[in-house]
Amino acid sequence: MFVWLPALAGLVLLGALTLTAQPFQLPTANHALFEPGGEEKFFVPTVGKPWTTGCFGCVRTDGRQMHEGLDIRCLQRDKRGEPTDPVLATADGAVAYVNRKPSLSNYGNYLVLRHQIDGIEIYSTYAHLREIRDDLKIGQPVKAGETVGIMGRTANTREGISKDRAHLHFELNLFVNDRFPAWYNQKFPGQRNDHGLWNGQNLLGLDPRAILLEQQRLGTKFSLLKYLQGETELCRVVVRAKDFPWLKRYAALIRPNPKAQQEGVAGYELALNFNGIAIALTPRAASELPGKAKFQVLSVNEAEEKKNPCRKLIRQRGSRWELASHGLSALELLTY
Ligand SMILES: [Zn+2]
């Protein structure tokens, strides 16, 4: 007994560790993502296009348009051919936002959950739902794998989503700025912002497929923080701003700089990925800042810009790179 009990306790503990080290689960019963060659069974493409158009990234309109999440194929339908797959929380977390007015969004009925993983605040978004569970309220805790709704094809777009293409649109996002509504009012005076903080511009997508596959590959060694730190850099930019919400929310991404700590921080050098996510932030002293401009591009990874050009954050003028209007707007929001 005395030998057996600790062994059992060890197993239970091992089980718990495995669970915490594998934070993300697939959001439906469709697990073909993990099957070799299972892509056709997992992704729903756009009409007449290959499965890759259901992936995350510059996959739409011949690479010129961004798709911020994964379009996951349904496995079950009712008599009328409508999808009925339960939609499951990808990780432990809490309800952040519920939109039950499909006419107000191209995401239709959608749900956003907030998670804390590896010290990183990350959000998951589930769109085009037929139903969102009635009892879900803002702040309510949910468990990984818990049913939060039913797959559907709601959207306010004119062309809609055909029965054939019914899917779950699934995103993993980082949150940009708590002052988004004020920034939006200033930037787009008179324009409606039906979803407040939960406007898509305030949520920057990561590639859920890459994260899920990396987690599968590394098992208990997977770390969301390391994953983010390993994202490919598109460019480096200096910002003359030293107090913005990203610094607090994603403090784990800040790199040490003794000189700035000694002389005082006057700004930050940011490494951005192609989607505008600040994957590394290094404080800079006034003496280390290159000029007076509020934002300045320091370097560009041209191979990455060529590979993922659809977000158009930067542009080339002669031999020099500068921020394009999308990049400027992304940094204005980040540092607002
Ligand atoms: Zn989609």
Side-chain angles (χ1 to χ4, degrees), residues 234-238 272 293-302 305 309 311-331:
L234 169 74
C235 63
R236 280 194 176 235
V237 183
V238 158
L272 303 180
K294 178 138 198 239
F295 309 123
Q296 193 175 331
V297 177
L298 294 179
S299 63
V300 169
N301 174 355
E302 295 190 21
E305 171 63 12
R311 285 279 274 131
K312 299 188 181 69
L313 299 180
I314 49 175
R315 67 176 173 201
Q316 204 167 13
R317 273 243 169 135
S319 62
R320 280 193 49 216
W321 285 93
E322 60 181 27
L323 289 167
S325 64
H326 286 112
L328 193 61
S329 159
L331 288 176

Side-chain angles (χ1 to χ4, degrees), residues 54 60 67-71 107 128 165 167-170:
R60 297 280 168 90
H67 183 234
E68 197 94 8
L70 309 182
D71 286 351
Y107 281 14
H128 310 312
R165 288 192 64 249
H167 62 266
L168 170 70
H169 173 94
F170 173 63

Side-chain angles (χ1 to χ4, degrees), residues 212-231:
L212 286 159
L213 291 179
E214 181 83 335
Q215 188 182 265
Q216 179 87 343
R217 191 173 69 83
L218 294 177
T220 55
K221 291 198 181 73
F222 175 81
S223 145
L224 180 61
L225 178 58
K226 281 198 193 125
Y227 176 87
L228 282 174
Q229 290 169 336
E231 280 273 273

